[in-house]
Amino acid sequence: MLNIIKYLVVPAVALVLTMKIYNWLNETLVPKAPETTEESKQEVLIGGPFSLTNQDGETVTNQDFAGKYMLVYFGFANCPMICPTDMADISQALDKLDDTQLEKVQPIFITIDPERDTVENIKTFLENFHSKFQGLTGTNEQVAAAIKEYRVYNRKVESDELQDYLMDHSSFTYLMGPDGKYVAHFSHEDGANKIAEGLKKYL
Ligand code: NI
């Protein structure tokens, strides 16, 4: 009887206890993969067709960039702070890419202020940033359509100090894939290094 306890019951109890401890450790210590929700499975509905005019007065549509990654930023040339900072960050990030990576990406600035951002104004504005940028403007309707496709928040704000108006706007930079679909986005806080690292993952 003692032998049975010694050779069967004790090892059996030990085994069960070991498995229980193993399971407990596994549940406690191993981080769980986030559950895939219905929402995250859905395609992100950002981006779509546009037809606009570039800084050289040429008509440009999303189809012209098919097969390339588009890095899309919406803003306005008169922006005192946010747009110039973001455009400079994007430009510096592009400088950190090698030639092969740079070849795959098309940086695009789209105005949210077509009334003031004429073709000429956009051309002047772009002189401060990476030479690969295309700057796009258009009629109010064309610009409104692009803004809607990219779900860009924008609002006209009268400024007494500047005797003119400003545009309050969201400041995300969208990376769109060669198929024109949303890949990733960068925010105003990201800065050149983070944008460059992010771009290198895909290019
Ligand atoms: Ni701005």
Side-chain angles (χ1 to χ4, degrees):
M1 188 62 190
L2 271 179
N3 277 348
I4 291 172
I5 293 171
K6 194 174 169 187
Y7 293 112
L8 285 175
V9 178
V10 170
V13 168
L15 182 67
V16 168
L17 278 176
T18 308
M19 285 173 71
K20 287 228 181 254
I21 290 167
Y22 176 78
N23 281 342
W24 176 80
L25 282 175
N26 224 7
E27 277 165 25
T28 318
L29 301 179
V30 178
K32 287 195 173 59
E35 283 176 36
T36 314
T37 60
E38 278 307 306
E39 200 180 15
S40 68
K41 277 185 207 159
Q42 280 173 10
E43 217 170 281
V44 178
L45 297 173
I46 287 171
F50 58 78
S51 179
L52 296 158
T53 306
N54 72 8
Q55 72 272 22
D56 297 318
E58 299 159 341
T59 299
V60 161
T61 77
N62 55 299
Q63 286 301 322
D64 293 318
F65 307 117
K68 294 234 175 191
Y69 283 85
M70 292 190 294
L71 195 58
V72 188
Y73 185 79
F74 285 81
F76 67 112
N78 284 30
C79 184
M81 268 296 287
I82 304 289
C83 295
T85 307
D86 287 339
M87 289 289 287
D89 284 347
I90 296 168
S91 299
Q92 284 174 35
L94 293 169
D95 282 336
K96 293 175 194 288
L97 301 179
D98 64 33
D99 290 348
T100 317
Q101 290 165 331
L102 191 59
E103 180 60 33
K104 291 183 198 164
V105 64
Q106 175 60 58
I108 298 170
F109 170 83
I110 302 180
T111 185
I112 55 167
D113 186 14
E115 284 169 42
R116 289 185 297 191
D117 283 347
T118 59
V119 166
E120 294 73 29
N121 285 356
I122 289 202
K123 197 174 178 99
T124 309
F125 175 67
L126 287 188
E127 281 168 11
N128 303 302
F129 307 107
H130 198 282
S131 60
K132 234 194 144 175
F133 259 107
Q134 289 255 339
L136 309 183
T137 185
T139 64
N140 288 345
E141 292 72 25
Q142 285 175 319
V143 168
I147 285 172
K148 199 176 166 203
E149 293 284 3
Y150 280 83
R151 301 180 173 220
V152 177
Y153 161 76
N154 74 110
R155 191 171 63 94
K156 204 182 240 191
V157 186
E158 297 298 333
S159 165
D160 294 336
E161 286 165 47
L162 297 173
Q163 309 274 311
D164 207 346
Y165 65 89
L166 292 171
M167 299 294 291
D168 190 13
H169 64 98
S170 52
S171 54
F172 292 112
T173 305
Y174 294 108
L175 181 65
M176 311 300 288
D179 58 358
K181 288 185 178 154
Y182 170 91
V183 174
H185 71 267
F186 305 100
S187 69
H188 177 65
E189 291 74 27
D190 282 346
N193 285 331
K194 212 167 165 188
I195 296 172
E197 280 167 34
L199 289 176
K200 285 175 187 174
K201 273 191 233 165
Y202 300 102
L203 302 175

